[in-house]
Amino acid sequence: MKLGTRRSLMATTQSQMVADLYTAKTGQTIELVGITTFGDVSKAQLSQLGGTGVFVSALRDKLDEGEIDFAVHSLKDLPTKQDPRFTLAALPERHDVRDALVGRTKFADLAPGAKVGTGSPRRIAMLRALRDDLDYVPIRGNADTRIGKVTSGELDAVVLASAGLTRIGRQAEISQIFEVEEMLPAPGQGALAVECLSTRSDLVDFLSVLDDPRTRSAVTAERAVLSALEAGCSAPVGAFALDDGHTLNLTAAVVALDGREAVRKSAAGSPSEAMELGRELAAAMIAEGADRLMGEQSL
């Protein structure tokens, strides 16, 4: 079986993790197929590219053409509107959802004016809400490239996903992990998505052995918030849901890019109604002005 993946170290590492899980569970041999996406070759900031989908379309083209059997994505890269040609056959158990600081010191100890790099408007907005005396620098590149900007002294720190750093064995370089109360993660952060053609019912059944119901309900609620706000993965929206097996607890926030205003709300409901919970929370946020904050995006 052929598993399509982006060519970056992060993508191939997490795709290999998923392949190994399938092999361990089913005995099926999985071959990784590296694919270059538009998001990998473009030098523009993700917010300028539209964010959502720029790492996805090339993998989906290969699925459509039958060159690969399934693909593994970082869930937060996937558009919230599902293309009917494809099915999210499995959402494996989620890893750490939190954001991490890579630098020589903790966030509170950075000197005023210190340069902090991130490619995410959400992170910039939430970091500014914590400290508006730092210089937040939009950056692109893989994890190694971003960490290298700290090592070289070009930046004082960078912010990346904790799960990704752990997957590529760079967790020792984390100087601080931001708790979700400080920085709400991107919807779906820390989760991987296994996607195949909807017409391949045999493959959907095979791939579903790795699906984790609690992960699915949590990220469904988070992504429903994002969808109802009509926001992409580059928007300053954070959301985190936790399914304890009985209740689904969801918190979401929209933060102005200057960090000075935010709409943050929480709700709880049944895991079986994850989509509705997310939509209702988004509606409550819009009633409090979240759409106005969304409309004021600018870096």
Side-chain angles (χ1 to χ4, degrees):
M1 295 182 71
K2 295 184 185 297
L3 188 171
T5 176
R6 291 169 56 201
R7 295 180 185 274
S8 71
L9 172 64
M10 187 84 71
T12 55
T13 300
Q14 58 197 28
S15 293
Q16 189 63 59
M17 283 171 45
V18 172
D20 291 345
L21 286 171
Y22 277 120
T23 299
K25 206 164 184 74
T26 68
Q28 177 70 52
T29 302
I30 310 286
E31 174 192 347
L32 262 61
V33 178
I35 296 164
T36 301
T37 73
F38 176 67
D40 294 315
V41 297
S42 173
K43 301 299 183 188
Q45 293 298 320
L46 291 188
S47 55
Q48 296 169 331
L49 295 174
T52 309
V54 298
F55 297 118
V56 174
S57 57
L59 291 168
R60 286 179 165 176
D61 287 345
K62 297 298 182 185
L63 280 172
D64 221 13
E65 294 160 9
E67 292 191 26
I68 57 174
D69 295 297
F70 64 104
V72 171
H73 311 280
S74 290
L75 181 61
K76 65 185 179 66
D77 291 337
L78 280 180
T80 53
K81 183 175 174 57
Q82 183 65 21
D83 186 320
R85 294 175 299 163
F86 309 104
T87 294
L88 294 182
L91 296 170
E93 186 176 354
R94 191 181 203 174
H95 298 139
D96 193 349
V97 304
R98 298 171 296 174
D99 292 303
L101 186 78
V102 174
R104 299 177 189 85
T105 185
K106 293 189 181 300
F107 187 65
D109 297 328
L110 288 168
K115 293 185 176 182
V116 179
T118 171
S120 160
R122 171 191 62 85
R123 288 178 177 142
I124 290 175
M126 292 187 181
L127 290 167
R128 278 182 178 148
L130 297 173
R131 284 193 66 179
D132 63 1
D133 62 334
L134 303 179
D135 181 12
Y136 298 105
V137 182
I139 56 172
R140 282 292 315 271
N142 59 35
D144 282 336
T145 300
R146 297 184 190 203
I147 293 170
K149 292 179 182 296
V150 177
T151 309
S152 69
E154 182 182 340
L155 296 173
D156 296 291
V158 293
V159 180
L160 297 160
S162 171
L165 290 166
T166 301
R167 287 170 190 155
I168 62 171
R170 304 296 290 269
Q171 64 268 39
E173 291 166 81
I174 296 174
S175 56
Q176 179 179 341
I177 290 180
F178 294 97
E179 297 302 329
V180 294
E181 293 77 17
E182 300 173 283
M183 282 183 68
L184 275 175
Q189 185 161 302
L192 300 175
V194 180
E195 189 174 57
C196 68
L197 289 174
S198 300
T199 53
R200 294 284 305 274
S201 57
D202 58 325
L203 197 50
V204 173
D205 289 343
F206 171 81
L207 295 173
S208 68
V209 298
L210 287 190
D211 194 59
D212 181 65
R214 292 188 184 183
T215 296
R216 186 174 283 271
S217 62
V219 300
T220 296
E222 294 167 13
R223 284 164 58 80
V225 172
L226 196 66
S227 177
L229 290 172
E230 298 184 352
C233 69
S234 64
V237 177
F240 175 59
L242 186 64
D243 178 353
D244 65 8
H246 304 284
T247 304
L248 183 62
N249 292 287
L250 171 65
T251 297
V254 173
V255 184
L257 279 169
D258 62 9
R260 293 177 184 173
E261 273 190 276
V263 174
R264 181 184 178 112
K265 293 191 74 65
S266 298
S270 167
S272 64
E273 297 175 346
M275 184 78 73
E276 293 79 3
L277 185 68
R279 287 172 177 162
E280 288 170 7
L281 189 64
M285 292 171 71
I286 289 169
E288 293 192 10
D291 52 341
R292 176 179 57 80
L293 297 185
M294 294 283 304
E296 293 174 359
Q297 285 188 63
S298 65
L299 284 174

